[in-house]
Amino acid sequence: MSSPPPSSNTPPPAPRTAVVTGASSGLGVAIAEALGALGWRVAVGARRRDRLDDTARRVEEAGGRAFAHELDVSRPDSVDRFFTAVETELGVADVVVNNAGLSHPGLLKDATPDVIGEEIAVNLAGPAYVCQRALVPLYAGGLRGDFVFISSDAKR
């Protein structure tokens, strides 16, 4: 049995607060813009800070509220600074889109330990650091959230 359509007196759901990592190009920009079109508050983070202002502009043009802040997901101190700034500016993030990632094309046999370490730090440890930090205020406030992980199979 289907539920009846919402009443015209039912207010729309409150806008959510989202974090999008890797938001300086490509899919991260598109995701941030789409969340802005929902009227959400969207915090965008990436290492390339100079490109985040354009993403923030696109979020706001789509109808959302944007906040841009430098973020290196491979560094827990950067993740903490990012979330502290987001919480001060927009409130607790209840949506986290782990989109940051990198790849050094080539054969595994040719990769240096530094290259392998960087890929692991950004693509594996980074999302863990982001989620760990995002969960702190959610748990403290008895809140729920949604976490999205984007990855690629185009690896070594």
Side-chain angles (χ1 to χ4, degrees), residues 19-24 42-53 55-56 66-72 77-90:
V19 159
V20 180
T21 70
S24 62
V42 183
V44 294
R47 291 186 292 184
R48 295 180 291 187
R49 175 65 177 94
D50 58 312
R51 291 180 162 192
L52 290 176
D53 290 335
T55 305
F67 176 68
H69 194 280
E70 184 176 346
L71 171 64
D72 180 346
D77 60 322
S78 177
V79 172
D80 187 54
R81 280 193 305 275
F82 174 79
F83 274 93
T84 298
V86 169
E87 291 158 7
T88 298
E89 186 71 23
L90 301 178

Side-chain angles (χ1 to χ4, degrees), residues 4 12 30 35 98 106 125-126 133 136:
L35 296 176
N98 282 292
R133 178 56 179 79
V136 171

Side-chain angles (χ1 to χ4, degrees), residues 3 7 13 22 24 33 40 43 56 59 63-64 69 93 107 116 121 146:
S3 58
S7 161
S24 62
E33 189 174 2
W40 290 11
V59 167
H69 194 280
L107 299 175
I116 293 169
D146 293 299

